[in-house]
Amino acid sequence: MRERAMDLYEHQARELLRENGVLVPRAEVVATAEDARAAAERLGGRVVVKAQVKTGGRGKAGGVKLADDPAAAERTARRILGMDIKGHTVHRVMVAEPVEVAREMYLGFTLDRAAGRFLAIASAEGGMEIEEVAAHRPEAVARIPIGPAEGVTEAKAAEIAAAGGLPPETAGTISRLWTVLTAYDALLVEINPLVVTRDGAIVALDGKVTLDDNARFRQPSWDDSGDRARDPLEARAAAAGLGYVKLDGRVGVIGNGAGLVMSTLDVVAGCGARPADFLDIGGGASAQVMADGLSLVLDDPEVRSVLVNVFGGITACDAVADGIVRALDTVALTKPLVVRLDGNNAARGRAILGQLAHPLVHQADTMDGAAARAAELAA
Amino acid sequence: MAIFLTKDSKVIVQGMTGAEGMKHTRRMLAAGTDVVGGVNPRKAGTRVDIDARTVPVFGSVREAMDATGADVSVLFVPPPHAKAAVTEAADARIPLAVVITEGIPVHDAVAFQAYARARATRIIGPNCPGLISPGQSNAGIIPADITKPGRIGLVSKSGTLTYQLMYELRDIGFSTCVGIGGDPVIGTTHIDALAAFEADPDTDLIVMIGEIGGDAEERAARYVADHVTKPVVGYIAGFTAPEGRTMGHAGAIVSGSSGTAAAKKAALEAAGVSVGATPTETAGLVMALLAEPAETPGDAA
């Protein structure tokens, strides 16, 4: 299992918009200050230097700066590269030509989970946190449902523009943004701000696109090599097909099924310990999957104890126990392991672990008891 | 009685001849489900022997319904073909389609949910374990032997938490357990199940399991406050989930301040729902409520 939604970097989103006919400022993406200077020279001297990280609030954090000439672009890029913005390290900056803005607006398409369809969101006020505007002055943000069968026709695009208070000339951009959403299986596309320039052009100054990882099978062009998992354990889990999220505590948590693992994290936290990992071995996991999962969590240097919480539905508890035994053949267990098995073949699974008689392997009868024990052993 | 699925339900399986389809068809038959056919256009006219039963394979949902009177389809069709399979089921006007498939693109789910709604086909899922009315019928992958028939109704976004609660409350038993799935766009919602349980004379108490992401639980809480007279016990998973990370289920993600477990718990409690801190505590709340003597009309005044 992989992460299910993939945010693109601004420069990737910009490329999708550009390929689909949305006007964007000329720009280059670079990884060094020297290259930023060269890019600024090519772009005419005066440029905007923008940190490329997958998080909002870059401007507030000092990650977006205007530079008046190539030398200033180099200095600015040097300051921004390596900066930490909400836990994201800046490895690249975008150097873009500045745009003479007459007017800033907001335009996006997002999923309305409750209604089970997409919504256009349009506002005559852009360039700021749209969530804030929506929260404080909901009337300033138009939300227009899109019929799943109809999509965005020319008439619908005009309706969206009018509802959001956008000029009629934005209708083309609205249609093109919808094309990006549907053609690339995106869950969210957003242009903020969408601007009218001094000479009347409609330009996307910044774009955000979130792709639906479930559609990967029909989107072969997606390239996220080396980008998906910044944590090495997450990269390893992705390669092994395990559902994994690295957390910042001390108790490694392994279970079957996303809901049960999430719940186990909460129960561990309720016992006063912080979970170190979320690892879902999935439904019907084999002994090999269990062994891979346990090895992974044991390799997390932060982990002080491991909790395996399995309710066997499709998953067989004896396979889980076999997987634990198999993992211990190859990994020296130096941290305590608490195991709770219930459901399908639980008695057989418990017997296998009983026979193992490993001094660091503890069995627990209940989920709460297992969490309490694992929390205590991690203290 | 039970909701959505009863002993009279006639079940077909789209994708029955695949590995998952075969495994779970066997389990459904063992649980007493009346599986009357499979659907596979390339194997139409063949038959499959499963344990003591012989199940015919039809070329389409329509053919299967005409030949057997089927009124439920369970889908084990892989993600690239799921949209076409659900569309076919809806075109045949099957009343209930249970979509087990995990990993269906959201754009496909948006399209087929609207399509099915327009044809009065109820969808459960996708990415769900299905539903079971213990002792009557089992449509999906929920293990049948961990509980028994009884008077609790259960609706949940999570498969394994469904099993955990079924097991903890096995001595009391269930009318129906519905796994609605953890995807962002699902067919049958908490509210749909709450409404059906409220109307079901054989359900005395409702357990509702939610998790982070979206605001379905908050909307369900408002529904409980306005429309549900039976006791409701809740549980929410994901208090420790960090913002912006997908916790296994495609829909389980906290975005900014929205979709948090704390907000969902608070909304449920404000609606008079007792919310457990752990699955075990949640089961304890159910047992305590069912042990209380029934309220007489005078007590309410």
Side-chain angles (χ1 to χ4, degrees):
Chain A
M1 187 167 42
R2 299 156 170 274
E3 267 209 71
R4 304 304 175 76
M6 184 171 76
D7 291 336
L8 297 186
Y9 285 104
E10 178 192 3
H11 64 87
Q12 295 171 316
R14 174 186 179 281
E15 211 41 40
L16 288 189
L17 293 171
R18 195 186 61 77
E19 283 168 11
N20 286 277
V22 175
L23 285 181
V24 296
R26 288 196 302 148
E28 294 183 27
V29 178
V30 296
T32 67
E34 293 73 22
D35 288 349
R37 179 190 193 114
E41 276 162 7
R42 285 188 291 271
L43 291 164
R46 192 157 185 265
V47 291
V48 184
V49 182
K50 304 171 87 175
Q52 296 298 290
V53 282
K54 294 179 177 182
T55 184
R58 289 176 303 169
K60 276 186 203 152
V64 180
K65 293 277 185 215
L66 189 68
D68 282 328
D69 55 56
E74 180 175 345
R75 284 195 303 275
T76 306
R78 187 162 287 126
R79 271 203 307 276
I80 294 177
L81 285 164
M83 191 182 259
D84 181 282
I85 300 179
K86 295 185 189 170
H88 300 255
T89 307
V90 182
H91 296 296
R92 280 171 297 187
V93 292
M94 182 194 280
V95 181
E97 66 176 354
V99 170
E100 301 285 328
V101 175
R103 185 175 167 193
E104 295 195 331
M105 304 160 291
Y106 174 93
L107 175 66
F109 288 100
T110 190
L111 182 67
D112 178 352
R113 291 169 56 137
R117 65 188 167 201
F118 286 92
L119 276 178
I121 303 181
S123 175
E125 298 175 35
M128 61 192 94
E129 300 252 347
I130 194 73
E131 293 86 355
E132 302 258 316
V133 180
H136 296 107
R137 289 189 308 108
E139 73 285 355
V141 179
R143 299 164 65 85
I144 303 104
I146 312 296
E150 298 77 42
V152 174
T153 57
E154 264 182 51
K156 191 78 185 181
E159 180 197 331
I160 292 164
L166 274 47
E169 305 81 67
T170 58
T173 304
I174 292 170
S175 295
R176 288 189 272 274
L177 192 61
W178 175 256
T179 301
V180 171
L181 181 88
T182 51
Y184 296 91
D185 268 300
L187 300 173
L188 170 91
V189 291
E190 183 182 79
I191 302 174
N192 189 29
L194 178 67
V195 304
V196 182
T197 64
R198 292 253 168 91
D199 41 15
I202 311 286
V203 176
L205 275 204
D206 195 353
K208 184 175 177 194
V209 174
T210 304
L211 302 176
D212 176 3
D213 205 27
N214 282 343
R216 181 167 295 273
F217 65 82
R218 63 185 175 207
Q219 297 285 356
S221 67
W222 293 357
D223 177 26
D224 57 346
S225 47
D227 188 43
R228 170 168 299 279
R230 53 183 187 276
D231 179 276
L233 288 170
E234 290 186 351
R236 219 174 105 188
L242 294 164
Y244 180 77
V245 178
K246 178 78 184 90
L247 303 166
D248 60 1
R250 295 278 184 264
V251 179
V253 176
I254 303 174
N256 65 322
L260 184 63
V261 185
M262 245 191 289
S263 170
T264 310
L265 301 180
D266 293 347
V267 177
V268 166
C271 296
R274 291 225 307 270
D277 313 84
F278 166 106
L279 195 150
D280 176 11
I281 58 171
S286 66
Q288 188 58 50
V289 168
M290 180 61 222
D292 291 346
L294 182 56
S295 304
L296 184 88
V297 169
L298 286 172
D299 283 349
D300 179 347
E302 309 287 310
V303 163
R304 290 200 195 151
S305 72
V306 180
L307 168 56
V308 175
N309 182 26
V310 168
F311 190 92
I314 311 310
T315 304
C317 291
D318 54 342
V320 170
D322 280 337
I324 292 170
V325 172
R326 194 182 294 183
L328 298 189
D329 279 344
T330 53
V331 187
L333 189 63
T334 54
K335 302 162 184 177
L337 176 66
V338 182
V339 186
R340 175 267 183 164
L341 300 172
D342 257 324
N344 184 7
N345 289 348
R348 245 183 287 169
R350 288 179 191 160
I352 290 167
L353 293 181
Q355 275 164 15
L356 178 68
H358 193 294
L360 287 174
V361 177
H362 310 267
Q363 293 206 59
D365 291 336
T366 65
M367 178 165 163
D368 292 7
R373 191 76 197 274
E376 179 193 315
L377 290 166
Chain B
M1 228 178 88
I3 68 165
F4 306 146
L5 183 76
T6 71
K7 62 179 173 32
D8 299 322
S9 299
K10 291 188 188 308
V11 175
I12 56 171
V13 181
Q14 288 175 263
M16 184 181 78
T17 51
E20 287 298 298
M22 285 296 288
K23 177 167 83 183
H24 291 290
T25 301
R26 176 174 284 114
R27 292 168 62 113
M28 283 189 265
L29 285 164
T33 306
D34 190 10
V35 180
V36 296
V39 178
N40 182 336
R42 282 170 286 115
K43 296 185 181 172
T46 65
R47 308 178 83 77
V48 174
D49 289 318
I50 299 173
D51 298 333
R53 292 276 294 262
T54 297
V55 183
V57 180
F58 298 94
S60 70
V61 174
R62 181 77 263 166
E63 280 172 41
M65 287 172 70
D66 288 346
T68 66
D71 54 6
V72 179
S73 181
V74 183
L75 288 86
F76 291 96
V77 177
H81 309 295
K83 179 179 161 188
V86 176
T87 301
E88 184 194 331
D91 276 334
R93 300 289 204 275
I94 199 151
L96 180 66
V98 182
V99 187
I100 308 300
T101 311
E102 178 181 2
I104 295 177
V106 168
H107 280 269
D108 289 1
V110 166
F112 73 59
Q113 298 289 6
Y115 195 85
R117 206 161 35 237
R119 283 154 188 78
T121 289
R122 170 180 294 286
I123 304 280
I124 294 180
N127 188 17
C128 79
L131 72 167
I132 181 169
S133 298
Q136 301 190 52
S137 189
N138 185 16
I141 65 174
I142 295 176
D145 52 3
I146 53 174
T147 192
K148 64 173 189 184
R151 303 186 67 87
I152 304 170
L154 187 150
V155 54
S156 169
K157 278 184 174 177
S158 153
T160 36
L161 284 176
T162 299
Y163 313 161
Q164 176 73 33
L165 266 296
M166 283 168 62
Y167 181 74
E168 301 239 20
L169 294 166
R170 60 194 178 279
D171 294 336
I172 302 175
F174 292 82
S175 51
T176 302
C177 305
V178 190
I180 58 176
D183 272 8
V185 176
I186 53 172
T188 295
T189 64
H190 281 114
I191 291 174
D192 297 329
L194 286 164
F197 281 130
E198 172 70 13
D200 174 23
D202 290 339
T203 299
D204 292 340
L205 179 148
I206 305 163
V207 177
M208 184 190 133
I209 301 171
E211 64 190 24
I212 54 165
D215 68 345
E217 291 82 357
E218 286 88 335
R219 284 180 288 117
R222 287 195 291 277
Y223 185 86
V224 169
D226 294 343
H227 300 285
V228 179
T229 62
K230 297 177 182 180
V232 181
V233 173
Y235 175 71
I236 302 290
F239 281 85
T240 47
E243 185 192 329
R245 301 302 308 270
T246 303
M247 301 303 279
H249 287 159
I253 180 166
V254 174
S255 315
S257 59
S258 73
T260 66
K264 292 169 188 295
K265 177 174 189 274
L268 286 169
E269 286 177 341
V273 175
S274 316
V275 181
T278 72
T280 306
E281 188 185 309
T282 308
L285 292 171
V286 172
M287 289 187 260
L289 276 168
L290 288 176
E292 277 176 15
E295 235 176 59
T296 59
D299 292 342

